Amino acid sequence: AIVKKQIFRLKEPCIKCVDLVVQELSNVVRVCTERMSRYPRLREETERIIMSHVRSREQKCKDQLVMLIDCELA
């Protein structure tokens, strides 16, 4: 019972950690695409494609974390 309580308490920090990683990735992408300032459309499109991929993976990662914690609680 004590361990289950502690495992349950991990869920929120794990989700917050994923959010922080996505935020940092977003910052890195922004910095990297600034080097393409001479090609504004290429820069925008590159940033859009990369961030859409990161966001889709973000949700899958959160789903996997929740499933893992739920399995540990079972």
Side-chain angles (χ1 to χ4, degrees):
I2 296 170
V3 173
K4 282 189 176 187
K5 229 184 248 184
Q6 295 301 320
I7 291 172
F8 181 77
R9 291 176 64 194
L10 284 174
K11 189 182 280 189
E12 190 176 329
C14 287
I15 300 298
K16 285 182 181 180
C17 183
V18 171
D19 290 336
L20 290 172
V21 169
V22 168
Q23 183 179 1
E24 189 60 31
L25 279 171
S26 177
N27 292 337
V28 169
V29 167
R30 193 173 307 113
V31 168
C32 289
T33 57
E34 282 174 2
R35 295 176 181 235
M36 293 189 271
S37 60
R38 289 192 294 170
Y39 310 102
R41 288 191 68 205
L42 176 63
R43 184 187 62 79
E44 289 172 12
E45 197 61 21
T46 303
E47 192 171 334
R48 184 191 65 78
I49 290 169
I50 293 171
M51 288 314 299
S52 69
H53 182 72
V54 167
R55 285 194 182 94
S56 73
R57 295 298 169 193
E58 172 189 15
Q59 191 54 49
K60 288 183 181 184
C61 182
K62 286 180 180 179
D63 293 344
Q64 287 283 11
L65 282 170
V66 169
M67 184 178 71
L68 179 63
I69 291 172
D70 289 345
C71 286
E72 291 293 330
L73 288 172

